[in-house]
């Protein structure tokens, strides 16, 4: 029962991410991408797009700048407020993409488990197809080599940063979440007096 409740909340969590993805997808169908420039209504005077000049500045000098991509996400999409005491208003664009996400999920499962198995063929393979296209596109862009070399050399001094270990711990808990899905999916086949504790430890 507890696993089913946790899965319910996880589904709500992930459906919101799907809604954000759909919003980003629809926003990309523009000749001029909204996160490429600083001329939108939500941009601030500190908005910056020229990363070549920014890379030559010190950390203290760049503290007053925010890139256009981050402002698109925080100020354009989410319209983040200063805190919980200021809830803001309903973002109708996100509300519609959230509704669309729930509709997509409904049509994926409305004919039962047999139909869901067929949907998985597309949902499991299509991301790899898209990632392959993005890989080819990415490595052909100017500065791709510099971007790749930024990630390859290890920075062992980051191991002294507590935030790195916190992020690693968070990822471990997400990895453990894979077992949760197995328990929920296979739990319906159990006998009434099945030893669920043993199954949980095995998974």
């Amino acid at each position: 029962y507890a696993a089913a409740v946790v899965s319910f909340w996880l589904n709500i969590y992930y459906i919101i991410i799907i809604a954000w993805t759909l919003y980003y997808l629809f926003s990309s169908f523009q000749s001029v991408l909204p996160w490429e420039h600083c001329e939108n209504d939500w941009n601030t005077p500190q908005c910056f797009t020229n990363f070549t000049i920014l890379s030559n500045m010190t950390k203290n000098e760049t503290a007053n700048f925010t890139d256009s991509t981050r402002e698109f996400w925080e100020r354009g999409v989410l319209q983040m407020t200063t805190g919980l005491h200021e809830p803001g208003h309903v973002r109708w664009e996100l509300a519609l993409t959230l509704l669309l996400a729930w509709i997509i999920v409904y049509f994926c499962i409305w004919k039962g488990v047999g139909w869901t198995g067929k949907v998985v063929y597309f949902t499991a393979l299509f991301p790899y197809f898209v990632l392959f296209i993005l890989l080819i596109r990415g490595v052909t862009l100017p500065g791709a080599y510099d971007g790749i070399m930024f990630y390859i050399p290890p920075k062992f001094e980051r191991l002294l940063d507590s935030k790195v270990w916190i992020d690693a711990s968070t990822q471990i808990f997400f990895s453990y979440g894979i077992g949760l899905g197995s328990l929920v999916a296979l739990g319906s086949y159990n006998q009434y007096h099945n030893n669920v504790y043993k199954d949980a430890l095995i998974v």
Side-chain angles (χ1 to χ4, degrees), residues 45-61:
Q46 290 76 30
C47 181
F48 202 81
T49 57
N50 194 337
F51 294 96
T52 303
I53 298 177
L54 202 64
S55 62
N56 296 325
M57 296 182 179
T58 64
K59 187 175 182 180
N60 292 332
E61 290 175 331

Side-chain angles (χ1 to χ4, degrees), residues 122-159:
F122 174 78
T123 58
L125 298 176
F126 184 70
Y128 291 101
F129 175 72
V130 174
L131 286 173
F132 180 75
I133 293 176
L134 293 177
L135 172 65
I136 300 302
R137 173 61 176 159
V139 297
T140 56
L141 290 173
Y145 177 79
D146 296 332
I148 294 172
M149 294 307 299
F150 176 79
Y151 284 102
I152 290 179
K155 298 179 180 179
F156 293 105
E157 64 274 11
R158 294 299 306 275
L159 294 176

Side-chain angles (χ1 to χ4, degrees), residues 152-173:
I152 290 179
K155 298 179 180 179
F156 293 105
E157 64 274 11
R158 294 299 306 275
L159 294 176
L160 301 176
D161 187 358
S162 60
K163 186 178 182 302
V164 173
W165 291 98
I166 293 172
D167 292 340
S169 302
T170 304
Q171 189 59 45
I172 290 174
F173 284 111

